[in-house]
Amino acid sequence: PTTSRTPLVHVEARVHSQPREQGRKERENRDGTEMVEDLERESHEEEKERPTWDDPTIKKRNEARKAIHTQVDVETSTQGHAYVLPEGSKMTCQVICHEGGKTIQLRSDYPGTLLLHWGVQGGNRNQNQKGWWLPSEHAWPENTCKYKKRALQTPWKKNGDELALDIQLHGEDMGDALVFVLKDPQKNKWYDNRSNNFRIALVGEDLQEFQETGGNVEAPQEATYDVPEDLAGVWAYLMWTNAGSPERSFEEANLEYQNAVEELQQLLAKGYSVEELYAASRGDKTIPGTSITSQEMRGTETPPSPSPREEEIPTELVGIQAYILWENAGKPDGADFTDAATAELSQKLRSGMTLQEVERSLNEPASPEPEPPTEERQEGLPTPASAEEERASPDSAEESTKLEAGVPSQKPTSEPQVAPPPPSLASTQNLDMRELIRKPNRAPKSLVPESAKKKSPLEPYVAEAAANPACQWRRLFNLGDKASLFVAAFVQEDGSTRVDMVSDCNVDLVAHWGVSRDKRRMWELPPLTMAPPGTTTVNDIAMETDFVPTKGKYEIGGKLVPTQTCSFTLPAKHDIAGLIWVLRSEDKTRWWKDGDSNFRAPVPGGVLDISSVSDDAMVQVIADAENSGAWTLMHRYNRVSDLLDDVMSGQYGKDWEDPVAKLFVWLRFSSTRQLTWQRNYNTQPRILSAAQERLTQKIVEAYERSTGEAKEWARQMLACVGRGGEGQKVRDDILRIMHKHRIPELKGTWMEEWHQKLHNNTTPDDVAICEAYIAFLEENGDNATYWRVLSDMGVSRERLESFERPIRCEPQDFPEKRAELISDFREYLSVLKAVHSAADLTHSVSAAGNMLSEELKGLLGYVLANRESPDVHHLLEASVNARTVVHTMMEGHRDLMYLDLALEGLVRSLAERGAGDQRYSSQLLGPLLQNLCLSVANNEEFVYCLMSWKGLPDSVFTDYPSQEDALKAMAVVDRLRRALANLSEVVSQRVQPAAESLGRAFGVEEWNIQLFAEETIRGGSAFAVSLVLTQIETMLRNAAKLSAWQVISPSHVLGVVEVVPNLQTVQEKVYEIPTILVSEDVTGEEEVPEGVVGVVTPSAPDVLSHVAVRARNMKVFLATCYERSPIDQLSSLQGEGISIQSTASGEVTYHKASMDNVMAGKSGSNSVSNGDFGALEVPSWCGEYTLMMDEFAPGKVGAKSKNLASLRGKLPEEINLPPSVTLPFGTFETILDHPDNKVVKGDLELLLEKVRHAPIETLAACRSTAVRVSIPGELKSALASTMKKAGLQWPGNRERWEEAFAALKKVWASKYNDRAYFSMKKVGLKISDLRMAVLVQRVVPAKYAFVVHTRNPSTGNDEEIYAEIVCGLGETLVGNYPGRPLAFVARKDDLHQILIESYPSKSLGIFCPESLIFRSDSNGEDLDGYAGAGLYDSVTMDRTIENQVDYSAEPLVTDEKFMYDLCFRIASVGKAIEDALGTAQDIEGVVESNGEITVVQTRPQV
């Protein structure tokens, strides 16, 4: 994206955002009106001094901002040069020198059209950069466009009989040479200067030589055939699929891609057009003899013909149609529908359908809507290299620019091959990334609508058990047919245990039951003492007891629904761990189990610790299932399928996030080999495949019907399960291989041991075994290779020997059969991966092939061919673009979801490969962030970060970003860092508790349990972003000249280090010795504890937050550190004395100090004695409930109201004051004396007596009590009347009045805020003396809000104004919402002199419709030297709305002129108010959408 040009008339009102340090070179900025720094990089050790207004660099730059650029057209020399072009034509080049620059004139008699693909090389601006660079926009000839940030393309103009093009370069746009190649867009041919770029020298000896030489130059190299990369990708993909989609190495895939390019070039040379080749790739045209043509068509090649001919039906379409006809006919054995399919397809074509429409109808028969139109393919455009190529270091700059121009390199093929640029996707080129935003704006689609759901007759039993403290365990089981079984275990008063069962089943039930005495849960015969009456013993491990009919407790239609119960009692001391049972009908025709397992219930008071049993129903169901005696992957997958059905039917509540996340935890434990894959049971591969098929389709259904987090956990579940495939082939093909190669089924041999395992229980371990055996054969029977590959894939010798069909032997070598065995086992590996591998890329592409567009196939073909290429950047872009398209169409399609997971896995591995190269980190972040947007459920924050990142200036994506550009980028990085931290917290809170509950129930090792959430995060897309972000942040911080420290309150203090988790928990503590806190979390709303002299934190409280103002007021050192190392170093000094201070450059230094020195400085520490501010003067009520603005007077209202009134008539007309009325001091206390509020007043008085002993809890109770106050009718009448006189719209009905009074009461209640109490207590003020006036104003619908301090709070400089701006209401400023505002400093003697200190990174903007706001205005905010601002609340009548801010579409960031104009206007407001009131002011105001500014309050700045 380019920076918008600014009209020159406004130049003098614009200044550079951050002054550059003295000594830096200046140059014209891209719009020709600004001076910006040279791209030289300064040393990291350079002193980062805060710029001063007298800095010569700043003066020069500000003068440049007011200058208007002019050009001097004084011609000094004209020389020419000529080149011979094809077809007997020529091109002449002339360089005309001016005082202000040079003009390059290009002329040609070429018989056609030409396009100049060009850039500039060398020069002061990019003297350290190889290759060419792009001049600024004002140097671009008409109709020039930027090609992917790496070249410019300009069409030549027709001038009579010749083509002409003039390029003017001047100033910093001047380089050493103009470098270009030519293209004939009609013929799709490129021309260069004999394998080099055309190079027109512009300076120095080269220019002189260029001017002095004349005559003809040899003709350029013969035109080469430019093969579009997307066509090459499709061609390579079709070649691969025609070959049966075999497993390929990187070298084989790359060779296939090159073969595709060569074949296409040969076809172009034979006369086929690019359009014909595209048609052949789509199946619309058949070109015999090519690699993508079926075998029977590879006969005699026919020449291309321009005349239209009858369309041939591709064989793959015939096959699809034949399959559909066969399926519709009931899949008869041996039937051949080829002729019928051909006839039906021919009929469709004769009816007017195109081949594309026919293919779409076959591949998407269920789609009722046509596909949206796509952009026309632009043939012949060279695929541009990324910025990574631009900054690469080839053998010469010429070779670098040659690559940029898109001309094939002539480097020897023996050099390492780098992937070519990827083909682009039209569907992603113009994609608005906001379309990727997913919000949890709907509830999951339950199988059973809420209106159809009926309450269970067992609900009264469930509720009673839940309310009974004697109930130690309970669970509701689903019996099917709308029947349930509820079981609860109670510990009775005498210590005995009773287990009750109750069911609403309409069939008479019998419990077939036993007991278990240990965790193995094996059936044992119960003791006779616990058998209910009528129990019979049926064998040596079980008894049977009839359920007894009861009346029930649930009423329908005036009648109780009958139930049946059964109870078991155990003595106080017993050795029973639990009950085990199944149910049967009395007539023995039906049996019930808990899914595939027996019913189980733990029994309190026995050998089992009942506290270890989860009270979470799903966790207990999973734990019970996992502890079954016979258990395999098949059982696990079927049980998960059952539970997913229960979730979707609403059995586990309306919200699916938690239960689906628990199922993910279960499957992840399984997929990472933490759970057994086989125990006491053999599962045939086809049965396992069926279970996988059922589960994966169930997961796809859950994904499609869920929203928010649940959607993402469902997708993650799919990554833990193999797709199933043709399970029977696992058994059949291993036997086929053994028989083919005459390998005997001989017991005691490796092959037979593996064969037996495969035959009885195939598992994902078999993929590793097969890979290891192939490697073993490839290394000529090397056992060490076999064991190394197994180890790399997580399979040990011990694991092989632990199988029920163990593999103990060393692998067998067959030297004479190795080659054939390797080939056969590669095919067998495909079978195993199809069954077991969840996200194998090759198989995922093959499985999803018929759902992919030709364009997408081409991109995936490129990815497959180059996935091992060292060119990470191009491959990453291609993978993410492909995934973006797949992600938008994958709902309801299992194979597309697997392809999405496979591409996500590839992106993650590419990030790990590319993260080590800092040169390209800034280019990798965009694709990785886009990939993360596709992976995260609630991704709005990440999408906005992506949009902002993509909108940054070009210099950010080079090694040399300018200081201002780096500052803009740091705002995006700051926001992205917070988003990553929030995502990590959400994931941890969701899955870690489930991992701990399930892991311990499973017996997983504790270290695996504790690392579960961390490993989940590290295995996701967010970790890849974090890897790259760490490198970028360091580079940008240096480029922006930002310190690792932000000093909020500068000071020099000595104290003892104490480390605390957060400031809030210690704010009421009194430290006896001077203390420096290292606090992990500081929100900004806390009070600095007494005795604390310094606070250091990695958090970033706002510089205008309450804690920041208090710290500066009390000379407490307060600083944020953005790097972890200094925080850790300070934390390691726990209990030791240190001296810490800020330097003039904004750095922080510290060293150890003796305790004597620490105590010697105690007198200057933060220990304010009682009485420093005296007692608050308690104003009495004035006798009026409300006051107009002209009645605002001392003793009646607070400083906010008084200051607003004093501004009337003193401000310029463009500054508005809102209409206001105030409820004066004492109003709250007066209505407390009203008889209706007698109880409230008494409760408050009792609470205030207790506040010293438990302040946090008591103050919360005070606030809850204060809002119970009743508003007398006379106050309502007075308020309505006064508001009407003031021009305020009063609430129109009773409901609106209640909303208004609710806001008013909350303001009164804020006098009991925690931070207010601790702040007043610290300076000896009594909360009982506080009186709260309330200022009532119209809520101005703000587009922006601002806070202005007319004395710079960071430096104390009276000549500077400091201001902050945010989107929406000012609550994000004063309420300390995370992130930075747009912050700037302006000089009072020239308000146009503006320094931007930070660009906005706050995630949220708060907005409110036209309404009323009730603002606190207490007598505790008037004291000189006491920072009372921010202690109390302001509340809107209507609920505010929090929206995430998209800065990529926000003029405050994207429109530089708008931003500086707004800063100037806000600074002018601050100066005008200070001039009117005579002292430094703390001002709050808003800017409406129409640009009008309203000041809502001002107070003396403390």
Side-chain angles (χ1 to χ4, degrees):
T2 56
T3 305
S4 57
R5 304 279 302 273
T6 304
L8 297 177
V9 69
H10 296 295
V11 166
E12 62 180 2
R14 300 170 56 230
V15 297
H16 207 276
S17 65
Q18 277 277 29
R20 310 304 195 251
E21 67 280 359
Q22 188 173 359
R24 295 293 291 255
K25 298 177 183 180
E26 290 83 29
R27 62 179 172 83
E28 290 181 10
N29 196 16
R30 276 180 288 239
D31 62 2
T33 63
E34 299 180 355
M35 304 295 286
V36 295
E37 63 182 356
D38 185 81
L39 292 177
E40 294 176 339
R41 171 155 293 183
E42 298 294 329
S43 168
H44 293 314
E45 289 75 26
E46 179 182 8
E47 179 76 1
K48 301 182 181 70
E49 294 184 358
R50 185 178 186 277
T52 64
W53 296 107
D54 296 328
D55 190 319
T57 302
I58 303 305
K59 285 185 175 181
K60 190 171 182 179
R61 182 174 294 109
N62 288 329
E63 290 171 3
R65 291 182 180 281
K66 299 178 182 179
I68 299 179
H69 176 76
T70 59
Q71 296 186 14
V72 181
D73 293 327
V74 181
E75 182 177 320
T76 58
S77 65
T78 303
Q79 296 291 337
H81 211 72
Y83 297 90
V84 177
L85 298 180
E87 303 185 31
S89 60
K90 292 184 179 181
M91 174 180 66
T92 61
C93 307
Q94 292 183 325
V95 179
I96 302 175
C97 302
H98 306 281
E99 293 182 10
K102 294 180 175 63
T103 299
I104 301 92
Q105 292 185 343
L106 304 175
R107 301 291 185 269
S108 178
D109 57 353
Y110 182 79
T113 59
L114 287 177
L115 188 73
L116 194 77
H117 188 86
W118 65 285
V120 180
Q121 190 178 58
N124 292 333
R125 173 172 160 187
N126 286 62
Q127 58 185 352
N128 296 324
Q129 180 176 329
K130 294 183 178 180
W132 65 30
W133 48 271
L134 309 184
S136 54
E137 285 188 45
H138 69 272
W140 298 3
E142 185 179 358
N143 297 324
T144 296
C145 64
K146 185 186 292 187
Y147 195 74
K148 292 293 182 88
K149 300 186 180 181
R150 55 178 298 281
L152 297 178
Q153 290 189 339
T154 306
W156 293 51
K157 290 185 176 180
K158 192 73 174 175
N159 184 16
D161 294 333
E162 66 176 3
L163 299 175
L165 179 61
D166 292 350
I167 298 174
Q168 296 184 15
L169 301 175
H170 50 78
E172 285 295 330
D173 287 329
M174 274 293 300
D176 296 335
L178 178 76
V179 188
F180 62 92
V181 292
L182 300 172
K183 180 184 180 182
D184 183 335
Q186 292 181 339
K187 297 182 179 179
N188 193 33
K189 292 185 179 182
W190 289 87
Y191 305 109
D192 64 10
N193 186 17
R194 301 198 63 78
S195 301
N196 293 304
N197 299 317
F198 294 103
R199 185 177 188 274
I200 308 301
L202 301 177
V203 297
E205 296 179 359
D206 290 341
L207 174 60
Q208 183 178 356
E209 180 181 350
F210 175 80
Q211 292 170 338
E212 291 176 354
T213 57
N216 295 338
V217 179
E218 295 183 34
Q221 180 178 329
E222 186 64 33
T224 59
Y225 292 99
D226 185 36
V227 177
E229 279 82 0
D230 59 340
L231 177 59
V234 172
W235 209 268
Y237 176 88
L238 294 174
M239 291 168 65
W240 173 63
T241 55
N242 260 13
S245 305
E247 289 282 329
R248 299 177 302 179
S249 65
F250 164 63
E251 292 77 12
E252 292 168 337
N254 191 61
L255 178 61
E256 190 163 67
Y257 187 84
Q258 296 304 322
N259 291 339
V261 173
E262 292 176 6
E263 184 170 74
L264 288 167
Q265 288 177 334
Q266 293 170 4
L267 292 170
L268 288 169
K270 290 180 179 180
Y272 287 99
S273 68
V274 172
E275 290 76 11
E276 286 179 301
L277 297 181
Y278 270 117
S281 72
R282 295 191 298 267
D284 298 345
K285 177 182 179 66
T286 301
I287 301 179
T290 66
S291 300
I292 69 169
T293 310
S294 59
Q295 294 291 336
E296 60 270 18
M297 292 296 295
R298 295 182 187 174
T300 303
E301 183 178 340
T302 57
S305 173
S307 60
R309 59 181 181 177
E310 186 179 351
E311 290 186 299
E312 299 180 41
I313 302 173
T315 55
E316 60 265 31
L317 293 189
V318 175
I320 295 173
Q321 182 67 69
Y323 178 85
I324 293 173
L325 294 174
W326 171 73
E327 191 174 44
N328 291 341
K331 302 181 179 180
D333 291 339
D336 185 356
F337 287 88
T338 303
D339 293 340
T342 304
E344 184 160 338
L345 291 173
S346 299
Q347 177 62 33
K348 290 181 179 180
L349 291 172
R350 285 194 295 271
S351 69
M353 293 179 69
T354 65
L355 275 174
Q356 294 96 322
E357 291 172 335
V358 172
E359 182 177 7
R360 188 181 306 127
S361 70
L362 295 177
N363 289 334
E364 304 179 54
S367 177
E369 297 179 1
E371 290 184 352
T374 58
E375 292 188 3
E376 290 186 18
R377 186 189 304 274
Q378 296 184 5
E379 303 288 0
L381 283 180
T383 302
S386 66
E388 179 177 357
E389 261 188 304
E390 293 179 29
R391 295 194 308 282
S393 299
D395 295 340
S396 68
E398 287 295 315
E399 180 64 28
S400 174
T401 50
K402 186 164 178 285
L403 287 173
E404 289 179 352
V407 181
S409 171
Q410 302 300 317
K411 287 190 175 182
T413 56
S414 59
E415 293 189 11
Q417 294 184 2
V418 177
S424 57
L425 278 175
S427 51
T428 59
Q429 282 181 332
N430 301 315
L431 176 66
D432 185 347
M433 293 302 163
R434 297 175 187 85
E435 296 178 14
L436 301 179
I437 293 176
R438 293 191 299 270
K439 294 183 179 181
N441 54 0
R442 61 176 176 83
K445 299 176 183 175
S446 175
L447 284 171
V448 183
E450 289 296 318
S451 59
K453 291 182 180 178
K454 297 181 179 180
K455 291 186 177 181
S456 168
L458 303 184
E459 283 190 7
Y461 296 92
V462 176
E464 288 177 6
N468 189 344
C471 181
Q472 301 293 299
W473 182 90
R474 64 184 184 276
R475 183 176 159 196
L476 186 67
F477 297 92
N478 182 15
L479 300 182
D481 295 331
K482 301 180 181 180
S484 303
L485 171 71
F486 178 64
V487 183
F490 302 87
V491 176
Q492 304 184 98
E493 292 183 1
D494 61 358
S496 62
T497 298
R498 189 184 79 249
V499 179
D500 291 343
M501 300 181 183
V502 58
S503 177
D504 58 349
C505 184
N506 58 7
V507 176
D508 293 337
L509 297 177
V510 176
H512 181 96
W513 63 286
V515 298
S516 61
R517 287 184 166 83
D518 54 32
K519 290 186 177 181
R520 293 181 302 167
R521 305 189 177 191
M522 302 301 291
W523 284 72
E524 295 186 32
L525 190 67
L528 292 175
T529 54
M530 67 175 297
T535 297
T536 58
T537 301
V538 293
N539 53 39
D540 57 354
I541 61 171
M543 295 181 174
E544 287 190 343
T545 303
D546 293 344
F547 275 65
V548 178
T550 58
K551 291 183 178 180
K553 300 181 178 181
Y554 185 78
E555 187 175 299
I556 295 180
K559 296 182 179 180
L560 293 174
V561 177
T563 57
Q564 46 188 318
T565 63
C566 185
S567 295
F568 308 89
T569 302
L570 292 85
K573 294 183 180 180
H574 60 82
D575 61 352
I576 305 300
L579 265 64
I580 308 175
W581 74 97
V582 294
L583 300 176
R584 68 169 175 84
S585 61
E586 191 175 32
D587 58 7
K588 299 184 181 181
T589 59
R590 298 181 63 184
W591 290 80
W592 288 268
K593 296 173 65 178
D594 184 16
D596 292 329
S597 305
N598 300 314
F599 294 106
R600 293 182 178 87
V603 178
V607 297
L608 180 65
D609 180 9
I610 195 70
S611 64
S612 67
V613 179
S614 173
D615 59 357
D616 184 296
M618 176 166 280
V619 168
Q620 193 57 49
V621 169
I622 296 171
D624 288 345
E626 199 62 42
N627 286 307
S628 299
W631 193 249
T632 65
L633 285 174
M634 178 270 294
H635 294 95
R636 184 176 295 130
Y637 293 158
N638 282 332
R639 198 71 181 96
V640 176
S641 298
D642 293 339
L643 289 173
L644 262 182
D645 266 334
D646 292 342
V647 170
M648 289 189 285
S649 65
Q651 184 170 327
Y652 289 94
K654 296 180 181 179
D655 297 326
W656 294 7
E657 289 88 350
D658 196 57
V660 176
K662 289 184 174 72
L663 294 176
F664 159 73
V665 171
W666 188 13
L667 286 177
R668 183 174 172 85
F669 270 135
S670 175
S671 66
T672 55
R673 297 188 174 94
Q674 302 303 313
L675 305 179
T676 182
W677 286 351
Q678 179 199 15
R679 182 173 61 242
N680 302 327
Y681 197 93
N682 291 331
T683 301
Q684 295 180 20
R686 63 182 180 85
I687 304 300
L688 174 63
S689 292
Q692 289 173 299
E693 174 76 17
R694 179 192 176 208
L695 174 56
T696 53
Q697 294 295 355
K698 194 66 65 178
I699 291 172
V700 170
E701 181 186 356
Y703 177 87
E704 186 177 15
R705 291 172 43 210
S706 60
T707 183
E709 265 192 79
K711 203 174 194 70
E712 177 53 25
W713 295 124
R715 195 179 71 92
Q716 294 285 7
M717 286 175 66
L718 196 65
C720 300
V721 187
R723 68 179 71 239
E726 298 179 74
Q728 186 60 31
K729 292 188 70 176
V730 173
R731 295 180 102 188
D732 296 345
D733 283 13
I734 188 63
L735 279 173
R736 180 185 59 79
I737 293 173
M738 293 175 70
H739 294 166
K740 174 183 176 182
H741 296 284
R742 301 176 182 269
I743 300 174
E745 299 176 39
L746 184 61
K747 186 175 182 181
T749 61
W750 179 88
M751 190 69 74
E752 179 60 16
E753 287 179 340
W754 188 31
H755 164 229
Q756 288 300 320
K757 180 199 178 299
L758 291 165
H759 186 83
N760 289 281
N761 267 299
T762 181
T763 66
D765 285 332
D766 293 315
V767 175
I769 295 170
C770 191
E771 297 244 28
Y773 188 60
I774 292 171
F776 162 82
L777 293 174
E778 290 174 334
E779 294 298 322
N780 300 320
D782 181 39
N783 282 16
T785 299
Y786 169 78
W787 291 109
R788 176 184 56 78
V789 173
L790 280 176
S791 177
D792 290 345
M793 299 185 72
V795 179
S796 65
R797 185 187 294 270
E798 291 74 21
R799 184 169 182 85
L800 292 181
E801 294 176 353
S802 70
F803 299 149
E804 291 197 3
R805 301 288 178 140
I807 301 176
R808 297 190 177 96
C809 296
E810 294 293 320
Q812 294 168 265
D813 187 22
F814 303 91
E816 71 285 357
K817 304 176 182 178
R818 283 180 190 147
E820 291 186 12
L821 283 172
I822 290 171
S823 176
D824 287 346
F825 275 110
R826 282 200 178 279
E827 291 299 318
Y828 189 59
L829 179 62
S830 298
V831 173
L832 291 171
K833 284 186 174 181
V835 174
H836 295 299
S837 296
D840 178 76
L841 182 58
T842 301
H843 291 87
S844 296
V845 172
S846 179
N850 66 342
M851 291 181 279
L852 307 178
S853 67
E854 297 302 318
E855 190 180 32
L856 183 54
K857 286 179 181 178
L859 195 58
L860 290 170
Y862 171 88
V863 171
L864 287 169
N866 297 285
R867 54 181 155 173
E868 300 299 328
S869 167
D871 184 8
V872 170
H873 178 230
H874 284 146
L875 187 56
L876 186 64
E877 281 188 334
S879 302
V880 173
N881 285 338
R883 187 179 175 218
T884 301
V885 177
V886 170
H887 200 80
T888 60
M889 54 193 278
M890 70 182 191
E891 284 204 11
H893 299 285
R894 186 188 67 161
D895 290 330
L896 288 177
M897 288 186 67
Y898 272 121
L899 179 55
D900 173 75
L901 289 166
L903 288 168
E904 181 187 28
L906 175 61
V907 169
R908 189 165 56 246
S909 65
L910 290 174
E912 293 171 357
R913 280 164 49 190
D917 194 339
Q918 289 189 340
R919 296 174 300 166
Y920 306 136
S921 296
S922 58
Q923 296 178 46
L924 297 180
L925 183 60
L928 290 176
L929 187 49
Q930 183 173 331
N931 181 65
L932 178 59
C933 292
L934 301 174
S935 300
V936 177
N938 301 324
N939 64 355
E940 185 174 12
E941 185 74 350
F942 291 108
V943 171
Y944 289 149
C945 288
L946 173 62
M947 297 293 295
S948 295
W949 183 259
K950 284 178 172 288
L952 289 171
D954 292 352
S955 76
V956 173
F957 306 101
T958 71
D959 291 335
Y960 307 102
S962 68
Q963 185 176 1
E964 181 178 3
D965 291 348
L967 200 63
K968 292 177 180 177
M970 279 302 299
V972 184
V973 169
D974 176 43
R975 183 175 187 178
L976 182 53
R977 273 284 182 213
R978 291 197 318 273
L980 289 171
N982 291 338
L983 176 63
S984 176
E985 185 177 355
V986 167
V987 171
S988 296
Q989 290 178 350
R990 180 67 68 187
V991 301
Q992 189 59 35
E996 292 175 5
S997 299
L998 288 171
R1000 287 167 187 150
F1002 299 155
V1004 175
E1005 293 185 61
E1006 187 64 25
W1007 69 271
N1008 273 319
I1009 295 172
Q1010 294 304 322
L1011 290 176
F1012 188 91
E1014 179 182 342
E1015 291 301 316
T1016 300
I1017 295 166
R1018 291 175 66 88
S1021 300
F1023 184 66
V1025 174
S1026 182
L1027 274 178
V1028 175
L1029 194 63
T1030 299
Q1031 294 180 340
I1032 293 175
E1033 191 168 7
T1034 302
M1035 180 270 290
L1036 290 176
R1037 189 171 290 283
N1038 289 330
K1041 301 301 178 187
L1042 295 175
S1043 167
W1045 294 88
Q1046 181 188 14
V1047 180
I1048 299 170
S1049 175
S1051 189
H1052 179 198
V1053 298
L1054 291 86
V1056 174
V1057 174
E1058 178 169 330
V1059 181
V1060 296
N1062 57 73
L1063 189 59
Q1064 184 176 13
T1065 56
V1066 297
Q1067 64 178 343
E1068 57 183 292
K1069 185 175 179 179
V1070 176
Y1071 290 88
E1072 300 298 330
I1073 60 175
T1075 302
I1076 298 172
L1077 297 179
V1078 180
S1079 176
E1080 284 293 328
D1081 183 39
V1082 176
T1083 67
E1085 298 188 1
E1086 305 91 343
E1087 182 66 31
V1088 179
E1090 187 171 339
V1092 169
V1093 297
V1095 178
V1096 177
T1097 178
S1099 300
D1102 197 274
V1103 295
L1104 299 183
S1105 63
H1106 173 73
V1107 72
V1109 174
R1110 296 292 292 146
R1112 288 191 291 266
N1113 185 44
M1114 298 185 296
K1115 309 302 181 187
V1116 171
F1117 177 84
L1118 175 59
T1120 292
C1121 185
Y1122 295 105
E1123 294 181 3
R1124 192 68 222 178
S1125 179
I1127 294 291
D1128 293 339
Q1129 291 174 5
L1130 283 169
S1131 299
S1132 69
L1133 299 174
Q1134 168 92 359
E1136 298 187 46
I1138 66 167
S1139 169
I1140 190 168
Q1141 64 180 332
S1142 56
T1143 67
S1145 65
E1147 296 290 340
V1148 171
T1149 62
Y1150 56 90
H1151 57 79
K1152 289 186 179 181
S1154 67
M1155 289 303 298
D1156 290 340
N1157 288 338
V1158 169
M1159 297 308 295
K1162 183 176 181 181
S1163 60
S1165 67
N1166 169 30
S1167 54
V1168 184
S1169 61
N1170 290 344
D1172 279 359
F1173 288 92
L1176 278 178
E1177 181 177 345
V1178 182
S1180 57
W1181 185 48
C1182 65
E1184 299 288 341
Y1185 282 115
T1186 56
L1187 301 174
M1188 296 281 291
M1189 190 175 286
D1190 55 7
E1191 299 174 299
F1192 294 173
K1196 293 184 178 181
V1197 296
K1200 292 177 187 176
S1201 301
K1202 289 187 297 181
N1203 290 338
L1204 274 179
S1206 65
L1207 287 174
R1208 289 184 300 171
K1210 299 179 182 180
L1211 298 178
E1213 290 184 1
E1214 62 267 20
I1215 303 176
N1216 301 321
L1217 294 176
S1220 308
V1221 300
T1222 298
L1223 283 75
F1225 293 138
T1227 301
F1228 177 65
E1229 287 72 20
T1230 298
I1231 66 171
L1232 273 179
D1233 289 331
H1234 194 279
D1236 291 346
N1237 293 315
K1238 182 178 180 180
V1239 174
V1240 174
K1241 181 178 181 180
D1243 291 346
L1244 273 175
E1245 290 174 346
L1246 290 174
L1247 288 169
L1248 290 173
E1249 292 176 3
K1250 303 175 183 177
V1251 72
R1252 290 179 301 170
H1253 308 294
I1256 300 296
E1257 297 81 1
T1258 307
L1259 288 169
C1262 287
R1263 293 191 294 273
S1264 299
T1265 303
V1267 297
R1268 289 165 36 204
V1269 68
S1270 296
I1271 304 295
E1274 50 268 32
L1275 188 154
K1276 176 180 176 181
S1277 299
L1279 184 59
S1281 174
T1282 308
M1283 287 173 61
K1284 186 175 183 179
K1285 292 178 183 177
L1288 284 170
Q1289 184 176 357
W1290 65 91
N1293 54 48
R1294 180 174 180 177
E1295 181 179 350
R1296 296 292 286 160
W1297 271 111
E1298 290 301 323
E1299 292 170 352
F1301 287 142
L1304 171 63
K1305 293 175 187 179
K1306 289 178 182 177
V1307 178
W1308 280 332
S1310 70
K1311 68 182 290 186
Y1312 305 111
N1313 280 351
D1314 297 353
R1315 60 183 182 271
Y1317 171 79
F1318 292 123
S1319 179
M1320 295 180 68
K1321 177 185 176 185
K1322 191 171 181 181
V1323 297
L1325 300 177
K1326 297 180 180 179
I1327 193 172
S1328 58
D1329 292 339
L1330 188 80
R1331 295 294 181 268
M1332 183 68 71
V1334 180
L1335 176 63
V1336 185
Q1337 295 176 322
R1338 162 183 169 258
V1339 172
V1340 179
K1343 182 173 178 59
Y1344 307 108
F1346 60 84
V1347 172
V1348 177
H1349 279 194
T1350 60
R1351 179 176 62 245
N1352 192 330
S1354 297
T1355 63
N1357 190 340
D1358 287 322
E1359 299 304 314
E1360 293 179 348
I1361 290 173
Y1362 175 82
E1364 295 181 347
I1365 308 173
V1366 295
C1367 296
L1369 296 176
E1371 183 61 24
T1372 54
L1373 276 175
V1374 299
N1376 302 298
Y1377 281 64
R1380 294 170 179 265
L1382 176 71
F1384 69 91
V1385 175
R1387 288 186 57 165
K1388 291 181 182 176
D1389 58 354
D1390 184 358
L1391 294 177
H1392 289 128
Q1393 300 271 8
I1394 294 171
L1395 301 177
I1396 302 296
E1397 295 206 340
S1398 69
Y1399 284 90
S1401 67
K1402 288 183 178 287
S1403 301
L1404 295 176
I1406 300 179
F1407 302 89
C1408 187
E1410 188 99 12
S1411 181
L1412 296 176
I1413 186 169
F1414 296 79
R1415 299 184 183 276
S1416 61
D1417 194 17
S1418 75
N1419 62 333
E1421 301 171 59
D1422 293 345
L1423 302 176
D1424 291 337
Y1426 174 64
L1431 296 178
Y1432 311 102
D1433 297 342
S1434 296
V1435 184
T1436 57
M1437 183 178 79
D1438 288 286
R1439 180 176 297 179
T1440 57
I1441 300 171
E1442 293 184 352
N1443 290 331
Q1444 286 169 295
V1445 182
D1446 178 8
Y1447 290 112
S1448 69
E1450 175 49 63
L1452 195 63
V1453 175
T1454 61
D1455 189 334
E1456 194 174 75
K1457 176 189 177 299
F1458 175 85
M1459 177 188 71
Y1460 280 107
D1461 285 350
L1462 183 61
C1463 291
F1464 170 77
R1465 293 178 64 206
I1466 289 174
S1468 301
V1469 169
K1471 188 173 186 302
I1473 292 178
E1474 184 184 64
D1475 291 344
L1477 297 179
T1479 60
Q1481 293 292 303
D1482 174 358
I1483 304 162
E1484 296 179 24
V1486 296
V1487 182
E1488 297 186 59
S1489 297
N1490 61 8
E1492 291 191 10
I1493 294 179
T1494 300
V1495 173
V1496 296
Q1497 67 179 48
T1498 184
R1499 63 173 74 85
Q1501 181 178 337
V1502 178

